[in-house]
Structure formats: C-alpha cells, structure tokens
Amino acid sequence: MHRIHSPLGVLALAVSSLLLLSGCAGGPAGGSRAGHAEREPAVIGTDGSAESRVVAAIYRELLTAAGQKARTADTAYASPTHTAQAVVDGEISVAPAYESTMLRALPGGQTLPGNMEATLSMALPPGIVALPAAAAQRGLVVAVTEATADRYGLRGLDDLGAVKDRLTLGGPASGDPGAPSAASVKKAYGVTLTPAGTSRTADVLVLRSSDPALARGGLVVLGDPESVVPPEHVFPLISAPAVDATGRAALARVNGPLTTGQLATLAASVEAGEAPGKAARTWLRAQGLLR
C-alpha cells in the first residue's frame, strides 16, 4: 500500500478529493447550464413567400422569448418543398411546412386517413419532427361570389349537386398541385363542372387562402366535407436536436390564435412592405403571446 508521508502530499490529496466530490455533486446542473449556453442557434429557413417569411419570424420571436437562440437563414429557398428538404438534409433547423406539400415531397409514406400528424410522423426520417399544426392554412380554397351562393343556396361543395345549371370551375390557383379538378369534384360530389382554366370569372373559383380577393370580401368559401382540397395547415418542421422541450412548447402556443384569416392579414402586411419581424412582434403582442 502506498503511503503519503509529506504534509504537502496529504493536503494536495485532500484538495483533489474535495474538488472531485464538488464536481460530482454539481456536475449535472453545471453541465446542463454549459450545454444550454453552448447550444448553436436554431436556424429557421423560409421560402420567398410572405406567408413563410412572417411565420418564420413568429417562430423566431417565440423561440427567443423562450430563451433559445434562433436566427433566420441568410437566403430563402425556392419553395416549401425545398425548405422542408433543407431541414431533412440538416442545412437548417426549423422551417414552416405545409401538410400535403410535405407529403408530396416524401412519397411512399403510409397514409392514415384523418390523421395527418401520424401520417407525417411515419413519412419523416428519424430525427426530423413535425410539430402539431396551427389552425392556419396556406393552401387552397374553393369559393363563389355572394351572388352565386345566394342564387343556388351554396355553402359547401356538397350543395353543388342540387344545382341544375352547368357551372364552370377555374380560378388563379386552379393549376396548383393539389387543386381540385372537375373530375375530382364529380367523383366526390357527383356534380359536373366545366373546366375554365385560370379564369377569375369562373362560377366556382380555386384560390390560394392568402388571395387578396378573399380579404376584400364578396366571396363565400365553400365547405369541403369530402376533402377534395388537400389540407395545408402550417406547422413547424424541426430537426429534433435543435429545439428543446421549452422551445417546442413555445411554438405550440401559436396553434390556436394563428388562423387562415390572421395569416392572410399578416402576409398582406409583409407584401405591403412591413418587415416580417415587426409584423410578427405586433401580432404576437396583440395575442398576448409576447411581452
């Protein structure tokens, strides 16, 4: 057995033991603090649209308020599909994503009807998480003028079956991926519509939910009980290591207040020249989500 004869040796051993015990006792908490301090900022990507830019700004404000560092990527991606792929590839940490667009970007996944959250979860690779979606949709809507709605008693696409006149189907978003066609409407609702391309004078209009024509009024958005129009609710797509539990809870706070109408108003402000960050902060404070 080795003996320490020097008083200095005994003192050194005692100090070393004390430091070791102190490190063990305080290690987990200290390590957690250091890890939090050294966490790289979450990089939030967007496409070039006003909707994506303002939602990304909302995410950034919420994460920052929750104590997590976050910044917006320097350049925008070409489309929501490219932005989502950038999260999957590890180029960015967070992005606003949209349900059906996401599924089109990840073909081959099993679909659970009526359970988009589970469908996305199965389609995404390990480590990439689709957080719960907000009420807001950036997708498509089917609408008619108030005069057409009153004339035929239209409140949903299912009401078209009682219409005796031959109506046309078109609108500026009629060529978008996922836009309902005359064939899909007939299959779902048994009504024959005449295709009218991108004409804004069609009787039944396919529009983007952020189309200024909806904000101006005079149009009635028709219900779609058979889901001919695919859902496009906005949700945060994240790389799991990049956003901790506190950050995820902060992002979830926007789910209820952010409606399609609110998103359209925010996007219109950004398109008119307001900075996305300013629009996001103003809206979050008005909703009581930010001080």
Side-chain angles (χ1 to χ4, degrees), residues 45-270:
T46 73
D47 60 56
S49 69
E51 295 95 335
S52 180
R53 290 160 58 208
V54 76
V55 172
I58 288 172
Y59 292 169
R60 187 184 65 240
E61 293 293 335
L62 290 171
L63 288 173
T64 301
Q68 181 161 357
K69 296 179 181 177
R71 67 176 181 85
T72 305
D74 295 331
T75 57
Y77 289 85
S79 70
T81 300
H82 289 87
T83 310
Q85 190 62 51
V87 177
V88 173
D89 293 343
E91 295 176 12
I92 55 178
S93 316
V94 184
Y98 309 91
E99 294 162 322
S100 295
T101 297
M102 186 78 242
L103 288 179
R104 285 194 294 270
L106 298 166
Q110 182 181 355
T111 300
L112 293 181
N115 194 337
M116 182 62 79
E117 190 172 340
T119 296
L120 285 169
S121 178
M122 291 186 297
L124 290 168
I128 305 301
V129 178
L131 297 183
Q137 295 202 56
R138 183 208 186 185
L140 305 173
V141 295
V142 179
V144 295
T145 64
E146 290 179 348
T148 299
D150 291 342
R151 179 179 179 182
Y152 297 110
L154 301 179
R155 290 296 177 267
L157 286 170
D158 49 333
D159 294 326
L160 289 170
V163 177
K164 303 301 181 183
D165 297 334
R166 188 72 169 262
L167 302 180
T168 56
L169 173 69
S174 59
D176 283 22
S181 64
S184 64
V185 173
K186 183 173 183 177
K187 181 179 179 180
Y189 297 106
V191 59
T192 300
L193 299 173
T194 302
T198 58
S199 172
R200 282 187 176 270
T201 61
D203 299 306
V204 182
L205 293 165
V206 182
L207 303 166
R208 295 175 187 86
S209 59
S210 58
D211 194 304
L214 294 169
R216 288 196 295 268
L219 293 175
V220 175
V221 175
L222 300 180
D224 180 22
E226 297 299 323
S227 299
V228 171
V229 180
E232 288 285 17
H233 295 92
V234 60
F235 66 90
L237 182 70
I238 69 167
S239 172
V243 182
D244 60 22
T246 301
R248 296 185 194 196
L251 293 175
R253 297 175 64 203
V254 80
N255 288 357
L258 186 60
T259 64
T260 300
Q262 295 279 354
L263 178 56
T265 300
L266 285 165
S269 296
V270 171

